[in-house]
Amino acid sequence: MPKEIRVRAPAKINLGLSVGPLRPDGYHDLATVFHAVTLFDDLTVRTGAPGSGIALTMIGADDVSTGPDNLACRAATLLADHVGRAPDVEIAITKAIPVAGGMAGGSADAAGVLVALDALWHLGLGRAELASLGAALGSDVPFAVHGGTVVGTGRGERLTPVLARGEFHWVVALSDDGLSTPGVYREIDRLRAQQSVPEPVVSDDLMQALRSGDPEALGRSLSNDLQEAALSLRPRLGMLLEAGLDNGALGGIVSGSGPTCVFLARDREAALTCAIGLTMSGLIAGVRTVTGPAPGARVVPG
Ligand code: C5P
């Protein structure tokens, strides 16, 4: 029997996402609070036959390439090169995180592969080294390895722990069509072309809300600089944000570059009520109720 490892990797939302000016390398400096939630992609990684290379299959993501450009394959190649071995592995991913949804699903898969291969190949690299390797794959990969609630700076790859209390209940409203992350960043640059853009900061209100664990305060302090750009590209998200508040949410924002929207509820029951209301509104393709913070990519025992 070939040995296999199962890993669960979480989706992220950004509780605050402050975007600085466009950098010469095409990225933007960010000041963000990442928050992992209990919406997981499931990965199974097995040893492949010698010389077989990387074989990737995906369930629940029909339009996504399973070739070498997929972030999961790139993660396997990167780690194999790093430790000097052949990347002969079979990777099977069952997607729950929306594709091109602003929840870093591709980054979660890359983080999942790094964690799975570390275990499968008995590398013992540890989370810090895997996260630092992951930064070469994408700005959100280090956070997907780390999980929890963490401040991200730089491109988002530099992580600093924050003092955050409590468990929060979220309603995740899914859209049919994704938005391209580079496209949303281009749109924010276009919208801000005539403005001087300040350096990014995490608001004191948000940090205080996290320290207190008070969902009402957190609901008031959610913010996302990319929201304006996502709404400009997808104006009907405005109606969805209003519908979430009409259905009792304490706050609602576009998640990352969108188009997924997330709503903070007072408790589990309020989250279910809001989810039902949003489903009945006919504005969304699907809804999930989740909690955060969730752990980063982890091996599932057994
Ligand atoms: O790092 P990642 O490959 O996930 O980034 C995807 C794209 O998102 C980048 O090519 C860039 O256009 C945009 N981006 C950015 N600033 C960041 C992170 C991402 O402009 N901090």
Side-chain angles (χ1 to χ4, degrees):
M1 278 288 283
K3 200 174 159 218
E4 71 174 39
I5 300 284
R6 234 189 100 202
V7 166
R8 287 197 327 173
K12 64 85 188 160
I13 60 183
N14 303 79
L15 305 180
L17 176 50
S18 172
V19 179
L22 178 62
R23 302 190 328 197
D25 65 359
Y27 284 88
H28 298 73
D29 274 327
L30 306 179
T32 186
V33 177
F34 289 115
H35 182 68
V37 295
T38 56
L39 180 63
F40 297 103
D41 280 357
D42 239 295
L43 296 90
T44 304
V45 178
R46 289 191 194 91
T47 308
S52 60
I54 303 167
L56 171 65
T57 53
M58 291 184 103
I59 298 172
D62 295 341
D63 299 334
V64 176
S65 151
T66 52
D69 54 321
N70 187 295
L71 218 46
C73 297
R74 288 176 47 208
T77 305
L78 178 82
L79 192 56
D81 286 351
H82 183 68
V83 297
R85 58 180 294 159
D88 297 327
V89 286
E90 297 169 12
I91 304 169
I93 301 179
T94 304
K95 297 274 320 160
I97 307 174
V99 174
M103 300 191 84
S107 303
D109 298 344
V113 167
L114 294 177
V115 169
L117 290 180
D118 183 49
L120 189 72
W121 293 342
H122 305 289
L123 301 175
L125 291 183
R127 228 148 263 290
E129 187 165 358
L130 295 176
S132 127
L133 274 171
L137 298 164
S139 310
D140 294 335
V141 178
F143 175 70
V145 172
H146 196 284
T149 306
V150 174
V151 168
T153 54
R155 284 186 289 128
E157 87 287 14
R158 263 188 257 143
L159 304 178
T160 316
V162 295
L163 190 61
R165 264 201 195 91
E167 182 189 48
F168 298 104
H169 294 267
W170 299 94
V171 180
V172 177
L174 306 173
S175 290
D176 267 332
D177 306 319
L179 277 173
S180 136
T181 301
V184 174
Y185 275 101
R186 271 197 303 277
E187 182 66 1
I188 194 176
D189 291 337
R190 191 185 70 79
L191 293 170
R192 305 196 300 193
Q194 308 305 325
Q195 300 166 19
S196 96
V197 178
E199 289 307 310
V201 283
V202 174
S203 81
D204 290 340
D205 286 354
L206 176 54
M207 297 306 273
Q208 173 55 31
L210 289 170
R211 274 194 295 274
S212 70
D214 171 9
E216 293 206 10
L218 181 58
R220 281 193 302 273
S221 53
L222 298 173
S223 71
N224 178 4
D225 281 355
L226 292 181
Q227 180 159 310
E228 187 191 358
L231 286 174
S232 163
L233 296 170
R234 198 63 70 73
R236 66 176 183 274
L237 293 178
M239 279 196 299
L240 173 55
L241 290 170
E242 272 176 37
L245 299 180
D246 291 347
N247 281 284
L250 301 172
I253 40 168
V254 169
S255 174
S257 54
T260 308
C261 290
V262 292
F263 299 96
L264 179 61
R266 188 177 311 280
D267 52 28
R268 190 175 304 275
E269 202 184 331
L272 286 174
T273 306
C274 180
I276 291 167
L278 288 177
T279 303
M280 286 171 48
S281 74
L283 292 168
I284 54 172
V287 71
R288 306 279 181 271
T289 54
V290 300
T291 62
R298 291 281 186 282
V299 172
V300 179

